């Protein structure tokens, strides 16, 4: 899984049946200490994440392993909101 | 999922049985605000997309999760046509 | 899917049971207008492709979705021979 | 699989149901002789690994092939703790 | 699939149940004409490969499609030992 920050949402009316009712989030990849990288991903929200949240993205077939995303044509899911990253006993 | 713009179609007569009847679109990857990148992908159309459309591409096994693409040897599908990308409450 | 040109074949006697009888093609990745890139892939042939053909490669689990490749330990298949790529109503 | 060193843990309370109870490790990719690379991955622990361990990461759908990770929305697992890498009969 | 040369083995006692009894090979990626690249992969051996062998690596879920690797948390397998690569009717 990788780190990202939710920065927006995707608006789409003409989409596959299995994408309907799912929240599509625009996520900007970040480092483990929150520094922005220059890569963007669109991921389905499975944890009620919102703009500004520091989150975990799960990729590939594994992104379909949530109640929200099963059997849908999606390849990335926001699977967790991150509270802290602990390194050497300290919180970053 | 990533952003792309549909720029053409692939013509092929000699292809796998499970690809027959599917529309193969040439897609150019773009940024979330529509700027062209230098990467091209061939994806099957699942949402009646056409040339010029700003779309979402789904990759890997998840690209087979639509009525059009199930059980076919395809690794990318156009899963949605994007109307807008909303960042900080504004449409880009 | 991506574009490639078939440039050779792989000869192997000691291989997994499920690879036996399959034609392993050496493919050089090309752009949509046929310009060679510097990346090579080995793919199983599912469409009777031969050296010099301009083809489509399908990756990952989806490469097992043909009669030839099902249940085999392969991660890339030649799924179509390309006749033309049409952009803006013109053939390239 | 690739080489990594466990350097921290991820703290998250709001996460997908199937992630609950799983230890999320921050791993820094390293070369086969242990030199740090500049890539980070979050992986679920399946072998009681701890900080400082030199480990093997398994990716994609295969990361769900352990008792700990099956059916969970995870795309990377710590599948082994490495004792040694033997090259030319010598341990590195 | 990609080309690699087997250059070593991984020694690990603490590993996932489904990895037990499997030979973990350190493989260095090479070009189709055997020139070494600077990328390393750990793959499970399915064809009795040994150090020095020029082999084919299969990735992802497809790497589990051998008798040796099925249901194991592995994302790369040595699926064939390469005898020759034939380009333009000549062996390289």
């Amino acid at each position: 899984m990788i780190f990202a920050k939710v920065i927006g949402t995707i608006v789409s009316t003409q989409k596959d049946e299995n994408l309907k009712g799912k929240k599509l989030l625009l996520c900007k990849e970040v480092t483990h200490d929150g520094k922005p990288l220059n890569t963007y991903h669109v991921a389905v929200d499975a944890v009620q994440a919102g703009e500004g949240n520091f989150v975990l993205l799960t990729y590939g077939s594994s992104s379909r392993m949530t109640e929200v995303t099963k059997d849908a044509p999606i390849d990335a899911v926001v699977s967790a909101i991150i509270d802290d990253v602990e390194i050497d006993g300290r919180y970053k």
Side-chain angles (χ1 to χ4, degrees), chain A residues 6 8 34 46 49 65-66 69:
Chain A
V6 180
M65 298 288 131
T66 75
T69 56

Side-chain angles (χ1 to χ4, degrees), chain A residues 18-29:
Chain A
N18 292 322
L19 275 183
K20 294 206 168 138
K22 284 165 185 56
K23 204 161 123 202
L24 292 164
L25 299 174
L26 177 60
C27 300
K28 189 176 173 64
E29 199 173 334

Side-chain angles (χ1 to χ4, degrees), chain A residues 9-72:
Chain A
T9 53
I10 311 301
V11 184
S12 166
T13 45
Q14 198 170 332
K15 56 188 167 187
D16 182 73
E17 273 305 312
N18 292 322
L19 275 183
K20 294 206 168 138
K22 284 165 185 56
K23 204 161 123 202
L24 292 164
L25 299 174
L26 177 60
C27 300
K28 189 176 173 64
E29 199 173 334
V30 296
T31 62
H32 66 281
D33 44 5
K35 291 197 194 84
L37 296 168
N38 210 13
T39 316
Y40 294 81
H41 307 269
V42 178
V44 167
D45 177 32
V47 291
Q48 315 262 43
E51 265 183 60
N53 279 157
F54 179 37
V55 300
L56 215 54
L57 295 186
T58 300
Y59 270 83
S61 63
S62 299
S63 69
R64 301 196 310 265
M65 298 288 131
T66 75
E67 270 306 304
V68 176
T69 56
K70 66 178 177 190
D71 302 328

